[in-house]
Amino acid sequence: MDERKVQKTYWIEHTVDLSVEAMMLDSKASDLDKEERPEVLSLLPAYEGKSVLELGAGIGRFTGELAQKAGQLLAVDFIESAIKKNESINGHHKNVKFLCADVTSPNLHISEGSVDLLFSNWLLMYLSDKEVENLAERMVKWLKVGGYLFFRESCFHQSGDSKRKYNPTHYREPRFYTKLFKECHTIDDSGNSFELSLVGCKCIGAYVRNKKNQNQICWIWQKVRSQDDRGFQRFLDSVEYNHKSILRYERVYGQGFVSTGGIETTKEFVAKLDLKPGQKVLDVGCGIGGGDIYMAENFDVEVVGIDLSINMISLAIERAIGLKCTVEFECVDCTKKTYPERTFDVIYTRDAMLHIQDKPTLFKSFYKWLKPGGKLLITDYCMSAKSPSVDYAEYIKKGGYYFHDFKAYRQIIKNAGFDNVIAEDQTNMVCLKFKFFVLLFGAWEIQFLNHYFQKEYNEIVEKWEAKKTRAAAGDQIWGLFIATKK
């Protein structure tokens, strides 16, 4: 039996009872839906008065909500009973059309460049790899330039507890979707090339909080011209933090970590936060999530980790799967992200702010996002008050970093509204860590070379030695800053 027949048989069996429980394949679907549906809708870009295409619409769990804002909405599903139920529930919305069709069918005709928002919730996991690839190409064509694509899938394993005789669902690693959609291109009749730019990727928080499950993941993409520069995020994922280099650093610093000190410095700094069960922590520039998992597992706190690198976030999610801790991850630009005021008890960021040019504005956001009495902890590279050496200036320029002198950094935090700003020069401690890792790494050389080349081994040692040299010259300072919101 081919893929489409298998999937159709599966869903005909599970839509005998046309209920939310049947659609979500979970006995607690009604409770989950109350928390999960508003969360998903809150992630969508603005679509008021615009053209929306909903694929895999089912009985209309999202159709009615989308209809309230959309200019026009086409809801599509391949199970006839489901789309009829959807129409019976949402047919009073005059801006909605309902269509029974298989998204893989060439007979599904959507005009090119006609859709502002393409929305699907649990669809691609019911398609084969090749079917996903073909549909992705068609999706790009259907979207207007500047239009958005949102999809959400179950990855790694199933979440729902409904009994199933068999389960043909494809529980893929999220990297499959990221890679496939990132590499998806299309050319119009005039020869113009278009692709998808990643806007965001995150775990669905409702599943993290209720099931301690990070496998519900959504992506938001925007259709752009291929020549449009996507700047810093592209640099991070293709150069600074490509998948191979992340794994290489993790092998050196320990699982979940990609920077000097690994779990040991994490334990030292987290101890300064006096975390309490039930508190909420935001980790900005979370990397591959080792610190977040440590906090969630050991202090029973809820952690949200964000990072601009999709490669980092993909690995962070993979590392969290199966641990049953309350930690969620999102690929997003922290300078564009917003949270309600007084959301977090702690904001924690390790060696990530060096990438941020406008620290004053971001730190003011941190202040707003913290609850009264909340704590901010930052570790970051700084510079001395003197003019940097030629070598250090070149290092800053090449990395695209934004460094401040140690005292000025403390003042920026204070100017954002924070009280009791403690600033500690941790350079000597970090230099000791460098020395320790150079010695330890030397003992690991043969083991490391079983996985990597001699050139890569030498590069890591050279970087450590260069940092030690810059620190010894008084150029590079490693600062620890702890502040409290009044």
Side-chain angles (χ1 to χ4, degrees):
M1 192 181 292
D2 67 19
E3 178 82 23
R4 301 320 306 142
K5 288 182 180 177
V6 168
Q7 298 293 352
K8 191 157 190 176
T9 300
Y10 177 73
W11 274 107
I12 287 174
E13 179 184 327
H14 287 282
T15 50
V16 173
D17 173 21
L18 292 169
S19 64
V20 173
E21 285 73 17
M23 293 294 102
M24 296 181 71
L25 296 167
D26 198 298
S27 62
K28 297 181 180 178
S30 294
D31 290 335
L32 268 172
D33 177 62
K34 291 174 185 175
E35 190 173 342
E36 176 248 28
R37 185 162 31 136
E39 179 183 354
V40 169
L41 291 165
S42 74
L43 299 172
L44 300 180
Y47 59 95
E48 286 81 356
K50 296 188 175 181
S51 170
V52 179
L53 172 60
E54 183 186 10
L55 300 181
I59 62 171
R61 196 160 68 93
F62 288 97
T63 304
E65 303 270 11
L66 294 170
Q68 291 178 30
K69 294 183 180 180
Q72 54 184 2
L73 169 63
L74 175 60
V76 180
D77 200 275
F78 76 149
I79 300 297
E80 188 174 6
S81 59
I83 202 70
K84 283 185 175 179
K85 176 72 176 286
N86 191 341
E87 186 168 9
S88 71
I89 296 171
N90 295 303
H92 63 283
H93 294 288
K94 301 306 179 186
N95 59 336
V96 184
K97 292 182 179 179
F98 303 87
L99 177 65
C100 182
D102 191 317
V103 296
T104 66
S105 172
N107 296 323
L108 175 60
H109 296 294
I110 307 294
S111 299
E112 291 190 15
S114 65
V115 178
D116 291 292
L117 172 64
L118 204 165
F119 175 91
S120 76
N121 184 74
W122 291 322
L123 169 68
L124 305 180
M125 57 203 241
Y126 301 115
L127 308 181
S128 69
D129 290 0
K130 188 62 180 176
E131 286 169 345
V132 175
E133 184 179 345
N134 292 338
L135 180 59
E137 292 175 0
R138 297 174 77 193
M139 285 173 162
V140 179
K141 290 179 180 178
W142 295 339
L143 283 172
K144 296 178 182 178
V145 180
Y148 291 90
L149 164 63
F150 174 98
F151 63 87
R152 177 270 192 91
E153 304 298 330
S154 298
C155 297
F156 301 108
H157 58 78
Q158 76 176 53
S159 295
D161 59 5
S162 294
K163 292 182 179 179
R164 311 171 203 192
K165 294 177 184 177
Y166 64 102
N167 189 351
T169 310
H170 300 286
Y171 298 110
R172 302 179 174 100
E173 291 188 354
R175 276 184 285 157
F176 169 87
Y177 296 110
T178 300
K179 184 175 186 294
L180 189 149
F181 280 85
K182 188 185 287 186
E183 295 176 355
C184 190
H185 293 75
T186 187
I187 299 175
D188 67 13
D189 294 337
S190 302
N192 299 307
S193 179
F194 302 93
E195 60 188 280
L196 295 170
S197 174
L198 182 67
V199 176
C201 171
K202 75 180 298 290
C203 303
I204 299 297
Y207 276 75
V208 175
R209 291 185 292 273
N210 291 284
K211 290 179 174 278
K212 291 185 167 49
N213 184 349
Q214 291 82 13
N215 80 321
Q216 296 297 318
I217 302 169
C218 66
W219 288 257
I220 304 173
W221 303 84
Q222 185 176 31
K223 181 176 176 177
V224 297
R225 296 181 185 276
S226 294
Q227 63 266 33
D228 290 351
D229 179 24
R230 297 200 298 280
F232 187 53
Q233 185 176 55
R234 175 176 280 181
F235 166 75
L236 281 181
D237 283 324
S238 62
V239 181
E240 184 86 347
Y241 299 125
N242 62 65
H243 186 71
K244 185 177 180 181
S245 69
I246 294 172
L247 294 180
R248 185 178 65 189
Y249 284 121
E250 186 183 33
R251 178 168 288 276
V252 176
Y253 297 120
Q255 184 162 328
F257 297 93
V258 290
S259 60
T260 306
I263 187 64
E264 295 306 319
T265 52
T266 297
K267 287 179 178 179
E268 291 173 24
F269 295 137
V270 169
K272 299 176 184 291
L273 297 173
D274 192 28
L275 294 175
K276 300 288 192 301
Q279 287 187 324
K280 192 165 185 177
V281 179
L282 174 67
D283 182 359
V284 182
C286 64
I288 56 175
D292 306 310
I293 291 169
Y294 169 76
M295 286 186 276
E297 286 191 323
N298 291 276
F299 297 91
D300 194 23
V301 292
E302 182 180 334
V303 187
V304 176
I306 63 174
D307 202 287
L308 185 59
S309 166
I310 184 60
N311 293 337
M312 291 284 200
I313 290 298
S314 294
L315 281 168
I317 292 170
E318 288 182 29
R319 299 296 184 264
I321 291 295
L323 296 180
K324 298 295 182 182
C325 57
T326 312
V327 55
E328 62 181 277
F329 296 103
E330 178 175 5
C331 178
V332 70
D333 185 339
C334 66
T335 65
K336 298 176 181 177
K337 182 69 178 178
T338 59
Y339 292 100
E341 292 188 20
R342 303 183 178 191
T343 296
F344 299 101
D345 298 282
V346 169
I347 295 179
Y348 174 91
T349 175
R350 298 284 308 280
D351 304 347
M353 294 296 100
L354 51 87
H355 297 298
I356 305 299
Q357 183 175 13
D358 187 3
K359 291 182 180 66
T361 298
L362 181 59
F363 292 173
K364 286 175 183 176
S365 293
F366 287 173
Y367 188 85
K368 291 178 184 176
W369 300 343
L370 278 171
K371 298 175 184 177
K375 290 185 178 180
L376 170 69
L377 185 148
I378 299 173
T379 65
D380 204 10
Y381 288 116
C382 302
M383 56 199 297
S384 64
K386 66 178 185 178
S387 297
S389 66
V390 174
D391 287 344
Y392 195 43
E394 180 61 26
Y395 166 75
I396 295 170
K397 181 180 179 182
K398 186 177 179 181
Y401 303 134
Y402 300 98
F403 287 175
H404 302 269
D405 77 65
F406 185 65
K407 291 183 179 178
Y409 205 119
R410 178 182 182 275
Q411 191 60 45
I412 293 172
I413 296 172
K414 196 167 184 179
N415 290 347
F418 287 94
D419 203 20
N420 301 324
V421 183
I422 299 168
E424 298 179 4
D425 185 339
Q426 297 282 322
T427 309
N428 289 336
M429 182 273 286
V430 173
C431 285
L432 287 173
K433 295 288 184 186
F434 286 148
K435 290 178 182 178
F436 170 75
F437 273 106
V438 168
L439 291 171
L440 188 61
F441 202 43
W444 288 349
E445 182 174 1
I446 294 175
Q447 184 180 354
F448 185 85
L449 293 178
N450 286 333
H451 301 273
Y452 299 96
F453 297 111
Q454 184 71 51
K455 179 184 176 183
E456 294 170 302
Y457 173 88
N458 294 340
E459 283 177 356
I460 290 175
V461 174
E462 286 168 8
K463 283 183 178 180
W464 284 336
E465 294 293 354
K467 287 180 179 179
K468 281 196 316 183
T469 300
R470 291 193 295 266
D475 271 335
Q476 187 160 330
I477 297 172
W478 201 64
L480 165 65
F481 306 90
I482 302 175
T484 307
K485 178 173 179 175
K486 298 174 184 176

